[in-house]
Amino acid sequence: MIYDQIKQITKIDLGWSGDEKYKIVTNDNKAYLLRIASEKNAPHYKEIFDLASQIKAPICAPIEYGECDMGTYTIFSWIDGEDAEGKVPTLDKDTQYALGVDAGKILREIHKIPAP
């Protein structure tokens, strides 16, 4: 279990969800995204975790799902980068357009998965 191998935790205060989010680094220096949600959202998060494993796109891959004292946790692979909300407006229009096209391709892959 990755949860047992954490050597460093950094809180992430970005994003729109009410989840607690952390970048974690394990003893072997691999980085992951840890999300912790309240118990009331547990069924919803298990479903998201299971659906994420079906997506064939460059997104954070699901690694581990479980329950802890704070609620439900999910661990995803970590993708280095910058927050798009602050970065995209600073880019030229052609780059912004290309990023939008790439995002559309990822959404197309996501929408190929049948809704539960």
Side-chain angles (χ1 to χ4, degrees):
M1 291 178 80
I2 292 172
Y3 198 72
D4 296 333
Q5 302 171 27
I6 298 171
K7 76 171 184 178
Q8 180 183 0
I9 300 176
T10 306
K11 186 165 178 46
I12 300 171
D13 290 320
L14 300 171
W16 298 335
S17 75
D19 298 351
E20 294 284 329
K21 293 175 284 292
Y22 303 89
K23 177 181 181 181
I24 60 173
V25 179
T26 56
N27 295 330
D28 59 358
N29 292 319
K30 290 184 181 177
Y32 298 91
L33 172 64
L34 168 64
R35 298 178 70 118
I36 302 175
S38 66
E39 288 183 35
K40 69 178 183 172
N41 291 330
H44 176 67
Y45 274 76
K46 176 62 171 148
E47 186 176 16
I48 290 172
F49 183 84
D50 292 340
L51 289 172
S53 65
Q54 299 176 43
I55 298 172
K56 306 296 185 239
I59 64 167
C60 297
I63 305 292
E64 189 174 314
Y65 171 89
E67 295 183 15
C68 62
D69 293 342
M70 296 171 60
T72 299
Y73 75 89
T74 51
I75 297 177
F76 291 86
S77 60
W78 180 264
I79 298 175
D80 279 323
E82 296 180 57
D83 181 48
E85 187 175 9
K87 181 67 176 177
V88 171
T90 68
L91 303 173
D92 63 83
K93 296 296 179 196
D94 289 338
T95 303
Q96 289 181 24
Y97 181 83
L99 289 172
V101 169
D102 289 344
K105 289 176 183 176
I106 293 169
L107 284 173
R108 183 180 331 142
E109 290 301 312
I110 291 171
H111 286 279
K112 287 180 181 178
I113 300 169

